[in-house]
Amino acid sequence: LQQARDQGAQMQCLIPDGGMALWVKTQVNTQQLADALAVKSIYIQHQKEFCLENQLPLSNVQGSPCLNHFRLGFAGQSIEHFNAGFNVIVNLVLELQCVKPS
């Protein structure tokens, strides 16, 4: 994650004490991110999939929901496979932030 931030990706991650997923906060719309990743055969669970509609925080823009969290599962895959997929996610986050990946 530090490498992603060094590249300019605005991402924060809650490392769980247990479990099989990371919870990631970013500055991009994670529903849009999930849709773009699906084209690349990468699945993330965006915030709208794990929050009730009426519990989504509102953004400052026209009262639309702030969808900036996603859940990233890592069970059943090698660290190499996870890292390869995570790099795709980081590059797409950078694109959506309008930052060129280094």
Side-chain angles (χ1 to χ4, degrees):
L1 188 60
Q2 186 58 49
Q3 286 178 322
R5 285 194 287 244
D6 291 346
Q7 293 178 46
Q10 296 177 13
M11 299 171 71
Q12 298 172 347
C13 181
L14 177 61
I15 311 271
D17 292 332
M20 297 180 210
L22 301 175
W23 297 93
V24 182
K25 179 180 179 183
T26 185
Q27 297 301 312
V28 300
N29 180 309
T30 54
Q31 185 170 7
Q32 182 182 5
L33 177 64
D35 292 344
L37 288 169
V39 173
K40 299 175 184 282
S41 299
I42 296 175
Y43 172 75
I44 61 168
Q45 187 178 26
H46 61 81
Q47 186 170 349
K48 201 169 183 180
E49 291 182 310
F50 60 83
C51 277
L52 296 173
E53 187 76 27
N54 62 353
Q55 293 181 343
L56 290 172
L58 294 179
S59 71
N60 294 336
V61 181
Q62 301 169 359
S64 59
C66 184
L67 300 171
N68 61 352
H69 290 83
F70 67 91
R71 181 179 178 272
L72 180 61
F74 54 81
Q77 57 185 309
S78 68
I79 189 69
E80 294 82 13
H81 191 129
F82 175 84
N83 286 339
F86 191 71
N87 286 334
V88 173
I89 293 169
V90 168
N91 287 332
L92 192 50
V93 166
L94 289 168
E95 280 182 38
L96 292 171
Q97 288 177 191
C98 299
V99 174
K100 289 187 177 186
S102 57

